[in-house]
Amino acid sequence: MARVYNFSAGPAVLPEEVLREAQEDLMDYKGCGMSVMEMSHRSRMFDDIIKSAEKDFRELVGVPDNYRVLFLQGGGCMQFAQVPMNLMNKHHKADYIITGNWAKRAWNEAKIYGDAVAVASSEDKNFTYIPDCSDLPIDDDADYVYICENNTIYGTEYFQLPNTKGKLLVADVSSCFLSRPIDVTRYGMFWGGVQKNVGPAGLVIAVIRDDLITDDVYPGTPTMLKYKTQADKNSLYNTPNCWSIYICGLVFKWLKKIGGLEEMNKRNEKKAKVLYDYLDQSKMFKGTVRKQDRSLMNVPFVTGDKDLDAKFVAESAAAGFENLKGHRTVGGMRASIYNAMPYEGVAKLVDFMEDFEKKNLK
Amino acid sequence: MARVYNFSAGPAVLPEEVLREAQEDLMDYKGCGMSVMEMSHRSRMFDDIIKSAEKDFRELVGVPDNYRVLFLQGGGCMQFAQVPMNLMNKHHKADYIITGNWAKRAWNEAKIYGDAVAVASSEDKNFTYIPDCSDLPIDDDADYVYICENNTIYGTEYFQLPNTKGKLLVADVSSCFLSRPIDVTRYGMFWGGVQKNVGPAGLVIAVIRDDLITDDVYPGTPTMLKYKTQADKNSLYNTPNCWSIYICGLVFKWLKKIGGLEEMNKRNEKKAKVLYDYLDQSKMFKGTVRKQDRSLMNVPFVTGDKDLDAKFVAESAAAGFENLKGHRTVGGMRASIYNAMPYEGVAKLVDFMEDFEKKNLK
């Protein structure tokens, strides 16, 4: 087996030992004679899988008892509606900080359900920075303030949470999920699609404060989309994405084993540093993001020459570095270096870039 | 590896050769160096997986060109809302035929979005039969008539579709999905959660006539829940449940290989016959369903003695026949004998039942 270095922005690389365990147990999970894919979600075995997954997640992240952990379907785009349907319920107003495509789509969807106001944006510079969020015009009536904490496409990340002036903070953490320790109490809710940094696509993990889970939702909200429905049934209102929950559970165990989110953060900083340090001194490749806002997860870079970019993408793929093509709105390249990308993968990429630069610099 | 015979109602048994292929390719799909779980849903490789899956599904089922095939998240409970949000859009009325728990839940959810009328029900006899649907009081203004075509809990199945008097038929086919040939043109739409008869949980496949896919939806419908959103983007509006789509694709190939839905139906009839024939002559075990409505997929049976039922469930599990405990609303036992359950599994179960009967009949 020749595994490539997969720099995909999501779905993305998973830890090799997790995949190996899933492979070993695929047809006969722990001697029970069936695959996890074949198990009733009401079975004792699956009950153990989902409860262990929640327990390990809570331990890793440090989720306080007054927060619920929900396993939901529909991905981020479903949350773009589900958040306002459930939480824009007092003044029917919310403030959005627009730092990229996903924040913007969340904002546009929220307008269906109430008065969604963009209180800050970095669109003026193609989302290459995080706006100053220390003193935003937060509405007195805002039911929450919404951010996308790491912007997959543009490669920016909040290293300081916004001053919400006492309002609830709601964050989409999809592309920095479990990449570093966080203080859960700073959030009213955060949620992440698991397909970037945690597990197979088709699952969102949402962490939401108890008191925000109510029946007071937007009229016409489907029963499935009320957080209360899923909270009351411990995420088993109907059959969940069992396989994804299982794989995420294995990833949580892997994270605990390597030393938890502090150790993960150290590794992520080390990986990002070797790449950013190289970019900072390169005469060919340039990062696209303001230095203090550079994401530890998604690293876009360009040569400034489209043909050269294309050549780099082709040659890097041939050398076993996959999915380095940048998003069309940024161009160039993007290396997504999520939790499961080993340091070695980034170091080898940098070697390859140095070599490419030497050969192609005019 | 000792695989059990898994009679779970869902998630349920999958074909062994499908699981074996998935296991072999888990860490390195077709030599591409990554798992299907790690692939971008926008990659060439995944594009091939989802397109092949749709193509094979269309071939198997005989889906005409004027019907779309959609891969959706959220399971059946999401469809209970999504169907009326999208289709109860002319007169805001629909007729529901109540043949069990899932039809009833669909009906209750539809009441959020309009005037949902129960035009027939078999609740008077604990859903042990399918009502006569040849001349129902279908409303002139009904936007559609809704059925649950196979009732997993109660073990009934429609062998004749209702006379909808020209109105659209919408069917939940989750627990008889791909179990026999159907005439797609009889339906405006049908959909199935794949977790019973097709693949891993967290995916619904919906087949819907072109002209029913419109922007004319219930106000406040999330963008994700408009069928049009997913149809316009070929089910890739956001990241779908890629792994489940992949496994379903392997199951479609397996079905084609064994001879398609006609052959599958023959096998299913043969499996059901051996079990029903035994039940019909047993002095201990009795089926619970009116003969002409007995499902080929889910076979509930009872001894009439709760202690004896419990003894049977315990002893059968010890002998490698798993998940035979019946649903609490019916009691006793239930053998779900979906597509992937081999004839041998049912024949051995019948042997075991005969033996149990001999030993325990007073």
Side-chain angles (χ1 to χ4, degrees):
Chain A
M1 192 202 61
R3 301 250 309 157
V4 295
Y5 291 112
N6 176 12
F7 294 91
S8 172
V13 58
L14 290 168
E16 213 169 298
E17 65 181 87
V18 163
L19 292 176
R20 192 163 291 122
E21 183 172 343
Q23 183 175 41
E24 273 165 22
D25 285 351
L26 190 132
M27 298 194 65
D28 181 13
Y29 177 74
K30 311 285 177 213
C32 79
M34 61 182 84
S35 173
V36 172
M37 289 183 261
E38 303 175 295
M39 269 176 206
S40 169
H41 58 303
R42 311 263 177 227
S43 65
R44 190 186 46 72
M45 287 166 301
F46 187 73
D47 190 61
D48 186 51
I49 288 172
I50 192 171
K51 283 200 178 129
S52 302
E54 179 175 341
K55 185 171 161 287
D56 288 337
F57 178 86
R58 283 183 170 276
E59 258 181 68
L60 273 172
V61 179
V63 179
D65 287 347
N66 64 324
Y67 283 76
R68 294 298 301 269
V69 175
L70 304 179
F71 298 96
L72 305 171
Q73 289 189 61
C77 293
M78 195 75 259
Q79 289 312 304
F80 296 164
Q82 213 168 337
V83 164
M85 282 177 134
N86 282 273
L87 301 183
M88 210 194 251
N89 57 356
K90 289 189 182 67
H91 304 287
H92 313 291
K93 248 187 196 180
D95 289 343
Y96 279 70
I97 302 176
I98 313 302
T99 53
N101 182 50
W102 300 107
K104 201 170 173 180
R105 282 172 68 174
W107 172 47
N108 282 326
E109 189 78 6
K111 291 175 194 168
I112 301 175
Y113 307 102
D115 188 6
V117 181
V119 289
S121 170
S122 52
E123 195 164 13
D124 59 334
K125 293 184 181 166
N126 199 31
F127 301 121
T128 52
Y129 69 102
I130 299 289
D132 177 0
C133 297
S134 59
D135 185 22
L136 296 172
I138 304 294
D139 201 300
D140 279 344
D141 283 348
D143 288 331
Y144 58 83
V145 177
Y146 183 101
I147 63 168
C148 178
E149 199 162 328
N150 183 84
N151 296 281
T152 322
I153 294 175
Y154 300 94
T156 61
E157 184 168 358
Y158 286 81
F159 292 101
Q160 198 162 7
L161 292 176
N163 173 7
T164 64
K165 301 185 177 174
K167 302 297 171 193
L168 282 182
L169 178 65
V170 175
D172 166 4
V173 302
S174 300
S175 52
C176 57
F177 213 6
L178 300 177
S179 67
R180 51 181 162 100
I182 60 166
D183 176 359
V184 175
T185 64
R186 299 282 308 272
Y187 303 82
M189 175 192 179
F190 62 89
W191 62 267
V194 303
Q195 76 278 4
K196 293 176 186 293
N197 219 352
V198 192
L203 184 71
V204 158
I205 301 178
V207 177
I208 177 166
R209 221 173 59 204
D210 256 353
D211 60 296
L212 303 176
I213 301 171
T214 70
D215 277 315
D216 181 20
V217 298
Y218 185 80
T221 298
T223 307
M224 265 293 283
L225 297 189
K226 288 168 63 174
Y227 293 130
K228 190 165 190 309
T229 301
Q230 297 293 353
D232 286 350
K233 298 287 186 182
N234 297 311
S235 304
L236 292 171
Y237 175 69
N238 71 345
T239 322
N241 186 340
C242 300
W243 179 257
S244 183
I245 292 169
Y246 159 62
I247 300 289
C248 288
L250 297 182
V251 171
F252 302 155
K253 287 201 192 304
W254 173 77
L255 282 166
K256 282 174 71 176
K257 199 173 111 186
I258 67 163
L261 300 191
E262 298 219 358
E263 172 62 22
M264 194 69 254
N265 185 43
K266 269 186 216 160
R267 295 188 187 188
N268 285 331
E269 282 179 343
K270 189 178 164 202
K271 281 187 286 176
K273 188 173 187 306
V274 67
L275 184 47
Y276 283 125
D277 281 354
Y278 168 67
L279 288 173
D280 285 343
Q281 61 73 52
S282 168
K283 291 187 175 62
M284 176 176 279
F285 299 103
K286 297 281 162 242
T288 60
V289 168
R290 188 170 67 175
K291 216 163 171 175
Q292 70 258 40
D293 302 322
R294 295 195 297 204
S295 166
L296 296 181
M297 298 284 103
N298 310 97
V299 183
F301 54 95
V302 295
T303 64
D305 173 342
K306 278 186 183 176
D307 295 336
L308 198 58
D309 287 348
K311 190 180 180 197
F312 179 81
V313 169
E315 290 188 8
S316 58
F321 305 98
E322 287 279 356
N323 295 313
L324 281 167
K325 189 163 190 273
H327 191 271
R328 62 186 152 66
T329 56
V330 178
M333 283 69 69
R334 173 180 47 177
S336 294
I337 51 176
Y338 294 122
N339 286 352
M341 172 59 65
Y343 175 78
E344 177 200 62
V346 185
K348 284 191 178 167
L349 172 63
V350 169
D351 289 346
F352 180 85
M353 289 169 77
E354 276 176 338
D355 194 48
F356 184 90
E357 180 171 345
K358 258 180 236 160
K359 284 180 187 151
N360 291 278
L361 198 64
K362 286 162 197 164
Chain B
M1 190 201 63
R3 299 251 310 158
V4 296
Y5 291 113
N6 176 12
F7 294 92
S8 171
V13 58
L14 290 168
E16 212 169 298
E17 65 181 86
V18 164
L19 292 176
R20 191 162 292 121
E21 183 172 343
Q23 183 175 41
E24 273 165 22
D25 285 351
L26 190 130
M27 296 194 66
D28 180 14
Y29 176 75
K30 311 285 178 215
C32 79
M34 61 182 86
S35 174
V36 173
M37 289 182 261
E38 303 175 295
M39 268 176 205
S40 169
H41 58 302
R42 311 264 178 226
S43 65
R44 190 188 46 72
M45 287 167 302
F46 187 74
D47 190 61
D48 187 51
I49 288 173
I50 191 170
K51 284 199 177 128
S52 302
E54 179 174 342
K55 185 171 161 287
D56 289 336
F57 178 87
R58 284 182 169 275
E59 259 182 67
L60 274 172
V61 179
V63 179
D65 287 345
N66 65 324
Y67 283 75
R68 295 297 302 269
V69 175
L70 305 179
F71 298 96
L72 306 171
Q73 289 190 61
C77 293
M78 196 74 261
Q79 289 310 306
F80 296 164
Q82 213 169 338
V83 164
M85 282 178 134
N86 282 273
L87 301 183
M88 210 193 249
N89 56 356
K90 288 189 182 67
H91 304 287
H92 313 291
K93 248 185 197 182
D95 289 342
Y96 279 71
I97 302 177
I98 313 302
T99 52
N101 181 52
W102 299 108
K104 202 170 172 180
R105 282 172 68 174
W107 173 46
N108 282 327
E109 189 78 5
K111 291 175 193 168
I112 301 175
Y113 307 102
D115 188 7
V117 181
V119 288
S121 170
S122 53
E123 195 165 12
D124 59 334
K125 292 184 181 167
N126 198 30
F127 301 120
T128 52
Y129 70 102
I130 299 289
D132 177 0
C133 297
S134 60
D135 186 21
L136 295 172
I138 304 294
D139 200 299
D140 279 344
D141 283 348
D143 288 330
Y144 58 84
V145 176
Y146 183 100
I147 63 167
C148 178
E149 198 162 328
N150 184 84
N151 297 281
T152 322
I153 294 175
Y154 301 95
T156 60
E157 184 168 358
Y158 285 81
F159 292 102
Q160 199 162 6
L161 292 176
N163 174 6
T164 63
K165 302 184 177 176
K167 302 297 171 194
L168 282 182
L169 179 65
V170 175
D172 166 5
V173 303
S174 300
S175 52
C176 57
F177 213 6
L178 300 177
S179 67
R180 51 181 163 98
I182 60 166
D183 177 359
V184 174
T185 64
R186 298 283 306 275
Y187 303 83
M189 174 193 179
F190 63 89
W191 62 267
V194 304
Q195 76 278 5
K196 294 176 185 293
N197 220 350
V198 190
L203 184 71
V204 158
I205 301 178
V207 178
I208 177 166
R209 222 173 57 204
D210 256 352
D211 60 296
L212 304 175
I213 301 172
T214 71
D215 277 316
D216 181 20
V217 299
Y218 185 81
T221 297
T223 307
M224 266 293 284
L225 297 187
K226 288 168 63 174
Y227 292 131
K228 189 164 190 308
T229 301
Q230 297 292 353
D232 286 350
K233 297 287 185 182
N234 297 312
S235 304
L236 293 171
Y237 176 70
N238 71 344
T239 322
N241 185 339
C242 301
W243 179 257
S244 182
I245 291 169
Y246 159 62
I247 300 289
C248 288
L250 296 183
V251 170
F252 302 154
K253 287 201 190 305
W254 173 78
L255 282 166
K256 283 174 72 177
K257 198 172 110 186
I258 68 164
L261 299 191
E262 298 220 357
E263 173 62 23
M264 194 69 254
N265 185 43
K266 270 185 215 160
R267 295 188 187 187
N268 285 331
E269 282 179 342
K270 188 179 164 200
K271 281 186 287 176
K273 188 174 187 307
V274 67
L275 184 48
Y276 283 125
D277 281 354
Y278 167 68
L279 288 173
D280 284 343
Q281 61 74 51
S282 168
K283 290 188 175 59
M284 175 176 279
F285 298 103
K286 298 282 162 240
T288 59
V289 168
R290 188 169 69 175
K291 216 161 172 176
Q292 71 259 40
D293 302 323
R294 296 196 297 204
S295 166
L296 296 180
M297 297 284 103
N298 310 97
V299 182
F301 53 95
V302 296
T303 64
D305 173 341
K306 278 186 183 177
D307 295 337
L308 199 57
D309 286 350
K311 190 179 181 198
F312 178 81
V313 170
E315 290 187 9
S316 59
F321 304 99
E322 287 279 356
N323 295 313
L324 281 166
K325 189 162 188 274
H327 192 271
R328 61 187 154 65
T329 55
V330 178
M333 282 69 67
R334 173 179 48 176
S336 294
I337 51 176
Y338 295 122
N339 286 352
M341 171 59 66
Y343 175 78
E344 177 201 62
V346 186
K348 284 191 178 166
L349 172 64
V350 169
D351 290 347
F352 181 84
M353 289 169 77
E354 277 176 338
D355 194 49
F356 184 90
E357 181 170 347
K358 259 182 233 159
K359 284 181 187 148
N360 291 279
L361 197 65
K362 285 161 197 167

